[in-house]
């Protein structure tokens, strides 16, 4: 007999009703009396369980009625409707085989556990309702992203994880080495002799695939990266992890407007995809994690995203009458409180802030004609703040070289990046979106440690 | 006017014929006489170019006729059929704007370059025919893999890149550290004080996500990982890279037979997907890279994969009369020459070798009743050798503990892996497939450096 997945019982109920089905899965709950009992089974294929009814006509009824939670079973029985009860149907067991017996001290008993405790048992927490949902949605959001770009002909590029240069200067990096730390080889002047390291020079973990991505935009036109990135920041906050995934599309013959349109399309596509493919999980998040979630996401889906320049945004903040913790002046970085005010109060929908002062943005962003601002954009979302950051890239060789000089960066280090402008340079744009931030936005989960299977944070690299 | 992609000109020709279209792209070739000329344009969206016809009625004809290769253009013109010529259609230019002027010393002129030379200009090689095809197919194979698992309800799991333990012992690892190499902190006994390192202990780059993947198989049933993995092996061969991507599915309630069925389905799905979505690229590989390619892939698609035990395979090799470089005895690892002989000569189609001696396989593979072999499988493919390696996992706590002891591995290091057997353990299986090896198999490319955008090999981490 072929095993049927619980997902199929829920999604194709008609097909199975009043037939004998076989399912395999784990006991989530079990209660029994002398003559009969109920077992809730989850088989991993679906958020919801199915109820199994057992009674003493089963030869192993006694054994079954005392099984520890989480034991694995193979069940054959008839699927019948159960009108008027919580669940739409149940299985009347005809035979049950115990596939694996669990220990009775299973740490995930029915009572609610704190998220903090569950982090310490990251090998078991995916079995809890919350994390069953979180990690199924994580997978769906990944797929939505790949599907979005595939449908639009984008090429997926695997940019390198181990990198020979800190090109973006985006933060502290992790060193990758095979040098013996006990006895690191040194040069005569006492500095580390990195020529003896595995790659013949100093290497680190990547902070961004963007510059490599630009190479492929200038050959394959529309491309994206989606891979792990790393920051060695010693920040123990709810939104920082040292290993996280980023999505970085890059498009040739695309200006800042095209860039914003692509970001808006992507965010809406992903939300719609998840709502369609994980209605049970989204219902759960809305009920138990964040009661404003569905309203917030629906608002995003139904809005045309706003656009305002940084300069106008600063004016609005200064004239708002709000007493911000960080006062606003033209030239300053916007803080989360400002971002939330702009998207939440001023616009009430997602809004792109454009044309930031050059001094607070990276060297590769395209200089505007005013010579003060660059063609950058950040997407701010109500309740969350920044979700996307992007820009049109500087395609003019002379301007780019000037910016490198101004920022004391070495032209030699960027030789190939400059050559992209020398040979076949063209208008192009891109953006980056932090995958975990997107996930927190979509699930309502508040701590980045709870949307990553095995989070890496300062002093913690367990499992 | 909206830009049309060259892909659309080829795929939806009827829609555009005899209409005015705008395209943007880069000059691949240009030849002109006094009154007219031909420009081949590639826009990155498609493997093939489109031919633009220019003549002296264009106001900037003179400028255009002298443009360097790789300059970027925006062209408006009429798409017309060209019966009897090499290309199916061409564009008669009505106006052309130069978007970006390339330097005339562009290194990728029309003549053929060696693959070795092209590796030194990895920022430009994606623009050559070969690498335009390779990296588009790389993206398609990635998508095929995600699509295969999505359709079957598998959950995609991002297992960690930075790992606190060398759990699989699969080879030398790269250390990840923020300790100052110039002055590494030491304990009193002279050993490295890793407690001062970023994560409070020694951390390395992952060699496999399998053990973490098993965690999720026991919660979400059918899962897969697809991410970068690392080996610090100092091997300068055409099939070794130090950074490569792996796909590792893991399935609960699945035995070795289910495991082999899943691997066969996956390999066939991916080949079919690429043949359907990249016919031009596959034609190119078959013509210029490996003339047996299409025949080889078709054979795989049309075969039922064979199955033979290791023990029987060794018998066949010993009785083959072939003078192998490495003689075969029961207990030895099969070499590539043996693998190629079995799949190529004995079977003439892909074949699974099963039930290997326990001593040449990893500790987590399920012990067979003979206590000598384990429920492992390797998939061998004609012309390539091993493509997939997998096994049923040892789900019996006592057997697994015994194997750890036998192999001098510490139970403490595997505490959570052992707990997976203690709580909710069940029959489960999985396999691993090297993404780049799969790509080489599908494209016919012979050096792993030529299927990775920016390869990392000993003494080389450029771009």
């Amino acid at each position: 007999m072929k095993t049927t997945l619980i997902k199929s019982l829920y999604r194709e109920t008609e097909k199975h009703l009043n037939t004998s089905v076989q399912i395999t899965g784990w006991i989530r709950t079990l209660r029994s009396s002398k003559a009969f009992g109920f077992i809730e089974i989850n088989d991993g294929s679906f958020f919801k369980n199915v109820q199994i009814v057992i009674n003493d006509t089963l030869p192993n009824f006694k054994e079954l009625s005392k099984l520890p939670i989480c034991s694995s079973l193979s069940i054959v029985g008839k699927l019948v409707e159960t009108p008027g009860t919580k669940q739409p149907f149940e299985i009347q067991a005809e035979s049950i085989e115990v596939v694996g017996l669990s220990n009775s001290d299973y740490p995930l008993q029915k009572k609610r556990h704190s998220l903090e405790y569950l982090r310490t048992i990251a090998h078991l927490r995916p079995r809890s309702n919350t994390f069953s949902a979180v990690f199924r949605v994580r997978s769906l959001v990944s797929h939505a992203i790949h599907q979005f770009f595939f449908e639009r002909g984008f090429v997926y590029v695997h940019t390198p994880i181990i990198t020979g240069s800190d090109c973006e200067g985006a933060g502290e990096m992790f060193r990758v080495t095979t040098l013996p730390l006990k006895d690191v080889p040194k040069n005569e002047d006492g500095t580390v002799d990195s020529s003896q390291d595995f790659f013949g020079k100093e290497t680190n973990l990547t902070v961004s695939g963007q510059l490599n991505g630009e190479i492929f935009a200038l050959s394959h036109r529309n491309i994206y990266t989606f891979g792990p990135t790393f920051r060695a920041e010693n920040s123990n906050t709810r939104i920082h992890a040292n290993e996280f995934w980023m999505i970085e599309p890059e498009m040739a013959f695309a200006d800042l407007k095209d860039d914003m349109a692509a970001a808006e399309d992507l965010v809406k596509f992903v939300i719609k995809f998840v709502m369609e493919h994980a209605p049970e999980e989204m219902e759960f998040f809305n009920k138990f994690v964040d009661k404003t979630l569905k309203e917030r996401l629906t608002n995003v889906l139904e809005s045309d995203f706003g656009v305002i320049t940084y300069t106008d945004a600063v004016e609005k903040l200064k004239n708002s009458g709000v007493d911000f913790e960080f006062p606003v002046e033209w030239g300053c970085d916007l803080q989360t409180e400002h971002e939330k005010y702009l998207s939440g109060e001023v616009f009430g929908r997602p809004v792109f802030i454009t044309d930031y002062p050059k001094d607070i943005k990276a060297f590769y962003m395209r200089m505007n004609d005013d010579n003060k601002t660059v063609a950058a954009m950040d997407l701010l979302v109500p309740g969350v703040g920044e979700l996307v950051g992007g820009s049109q890239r500087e395609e003019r060789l002379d301007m780019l070289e000037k910016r490198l000089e101004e920022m004391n960066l070495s032209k030699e280090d960027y030789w190939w990046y400059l050559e992209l402008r020398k040979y076949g340079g063209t208008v192009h744009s891109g953006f980056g979106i932090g995958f975990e931030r997107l996930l927190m936005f979509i699930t309502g989960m508040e701590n980045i440690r709870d949307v990553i299977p095995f989070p890496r944070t300062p002093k913690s690299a367990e499992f």
Side-chain angles (χ1 to χ4, degrees), chain A:
Chain A
M1 191 168 194
K2 228 191 130 207
T3 304
T4 301
L5 296 179
I6 291 178
K7 184 177 183 180
S8 173
L9 298 185
Y10 277 90
R11 291 277 189 260
E12 308 166 297
T13 311
E14 287 304 317
K15 206 171 106 183
H16 303 293
L17 263 186
N18 302 313
T19 72
S20 198
V21 294
Q22 181 183 34
I23 68 160
T24 51
W26 296 272
I27 303 177
R28 280 287 180 87
T29 68
L30 185 154
R31 61 211 155 88
S32 72
S33 65
K34 269 199 174 156
F36 60 94
F38 301 97
I39 306 179
E40 293 264 345
I41 291 283
N42 189 284
D43 74 353
S45 72
F46 198 63
F47 183 62
K48 292 191 169 180
N49 308 323
V50 65
Q51 176 164 288
I52 314 292
V53 187
I54 56 174
N55 64 45
D56 57 9
T57 63
L58 293 168
N60 54 350
F61 174 73
K62 251 198 169 151
E63 180 201 359
L64 294 173
S65 63
K66 287 178 204 149
L67 282 176
I69 302 300
C70 203
S71 298
S72 56
L73 305 180
S74 173
I75 297 144
V76 175
K78 195 170 150 193
L79 188 76
V80 297
E81 281 184 299
T82 51
T85 65
K86 217 176 56 179
Q87 68 276 3
F89 46 70
E90 65 189 18
I91 291 174
Q92 293 168 340
E94 287 152 12
S95 72
I96 296 185
E97 185 203 334
V98 180
V99 180
L101 197 62
S102 185
N103 251 46
S104 58
D105 59 346
Y106 182 55
L108 265 182
Q109 302 291 341
K110 209 191 169 186
K111 73 176 171 71
R112 276 213 177 191
H113 299 282
S114 73
L115 296 175
E116 288 75 14
Y117 170 68
L118 290 171
R119 278 175 218 147
T120 67
I121 49 168
H123 62 312
L124 302 177
R125 70 172 180 170
R127 306 169 183 191
S128 68
N129 280 333
T130 303
F131 290 99
S132 163
V134 164
F135 293 125
R136 196 170 291 103
V137 166
R138 187 176 167 111
S139 170
L140 284 169
V141 173
S142 288
H143 195 73
I145 289 161
H146 285 303
Q147 188 62 32
F148 175 85
F149 288 117
F150 176 71
E151 288 178 9
R152 285 155 187 77
F154 280 59
V155 168
Y156 178 30
V157 181
H158 294 115
T159 49
I161 309 301
I162 298 173
T163 172
S165 54
D166 172 8
C167 270
E168 216 200 340
E172 288 178 81
M173 299 175 91
F174 289 103
R175 170 114 189 201
V176 175
T177 183
T178 56
L179 291 176
L181 294 204
K182 224 186 127 175
D183 189 16
V184 175
K186 303 269 168 69
N187 296 310
E188 277 182 18
D189 64 357
T191 56
V192 176
D193 181 7
S194 293
S195 72
Q196 292 190 44
D197 209 343
F198 193 89
F199 295 106
K201 61 176 172 180
E202 183 180 333
T203 50
N204 295 287
L205 291 178
T206 185
V207 294
S208 159
Q210 179 201 314
L211 303 195
N212 291 293
E214 286 185 50
I215 287 175
F216 276 82
L218 296 177
S219 62
H220 289 74
R221 189 179 194 105
N222 292 326
I223 68 97
Y224 70 109
T225 74
F226 184 4
T229 47
F230 305 84
R231 302 278 155 88
E233 272 174 87
N234 199 353
S235 302
N236 248 315
T237 79
R238 62 167 195 86
I239 57 167
H240 285 94
N242 300 109
E243 175 179 328
F244 54 98
W245 286 59
M246 286 244 289
I247 302 114
E248 298 181 286
E250 198 70 33
M251 298 160 284
F253 302 100
D255 62 16
L256 193 67
K257 269 193 183 158
D258 300 316
D259 206 32
M260 291 191 282
E264 179 167 345
D265 286 352
L266 174 62
V267 169
K268 287 178 172 173
F269 182 95
V270 170
I271 294 174
K272 226 173 136 195
F273 189 95
V274 172
M275 282 181 154
E276 271 173 31
H277 286 84
E280 289 81 5
E281 285 85 348
M282 294 309 286
E283 199 60 60
F284 173 85
F285 292 132
N286 195 61
K287 206 163 160 186
F288 294 107
V289 175
D290 174 0
K291 291 199 193 312
T292 67
L293 182 68
K294 279 175 112 173
E295 187 191 323
R296 194 155 50 73
L297 295 178
T298 306
N299 171 262
V300 172
L301 274 188
E302 291 173 355
S303 301
D304 285 325
F305 293 7
V307 184
I308 185 174
T309 64
Y310 169 90
T311 303
D312 289 349
V314 166
E315 275 311 295
K316 283 214 191 287
L317 290 167
K318 286 172 79 170
N319 300 332
S320 67
V322 178
D323 186 23
F324 292 113
E325 189 189 342
F326 297 91
V328 180
E329 269 313 320
W330 197 96
C332 76
D333 246 331
L334 298 183
Q335 303 294 325
T336 304
E337 56 174 345
H338 310 135
E339 296 180 340
K340 286 192 174 175
Y341 178 79
L342 287 167
S343 55
E345 306 301 315
V346 180
F347 282 85
R349 58 191 163 115
V351 56
F352 289 103
I353 314 290
T354 68
D355 304 294
Y356 282 80
K358 66 174 181 176
D359 291 335
I360 58 171
K361 288 290 181 184
F363 72 92
Y364 50 70
M365 298 193 177
R366 192 179 196 277
M367 187 66 65
N368 287 326
D369 292 342
D370 61 14
N371 256 308
K372 285 179 359 194
T373 61
V374 290
M377 62 90 164
D378 281 1
L379 174 62
L380 313 184
V381 172
V384 170
E386 187 192 327
L387 191 63
V388 173
S391 78
Q392 192 167 329
R393 315 308 188 190
E394 184 58 80
E395 86 278 13
R396 296 160 297 186
L397 185 59
D398 53 341
M399 299 292 276
L400 188 59
E401 287 179 333
K402 208 178 129 204
R403 287 295 286 154
L404 285 173
E405 269 168 42
E406 277 178 24
M407 296 176 88
N408 279 319
L409 296 165
S410 135
K411 277 200 242 180
E412 286 66 41
D413 287 352
Y414 293 88
W415 69 273
W416 56 263
Y417 192 68
L418 292 167
E419 282 204 353
L420 296 180
R421 277 70 188 165
K422 212 166 146 190
Y423 304 120
T426 191
V427 175
H428 66 292
S429 302
F431 62 86
I433 179 162
F435 180 61
E436 281 79 11
R437 185 164 287 201
L438 178 63
L439 259 178
M440 291 165 77
F441 166 63
I442 286 176
T443 60
M445 297 297 288
E446 288 200 330
N447 194 309
I448 196 168
R449 290 164 184 78
D450 296 329
V451 296
I452 299 179
F454 308 99
R456 272 65 184 112
T457 52
K459 297 289 169 204
S460 174
E462 303 307 312
F463 299 96

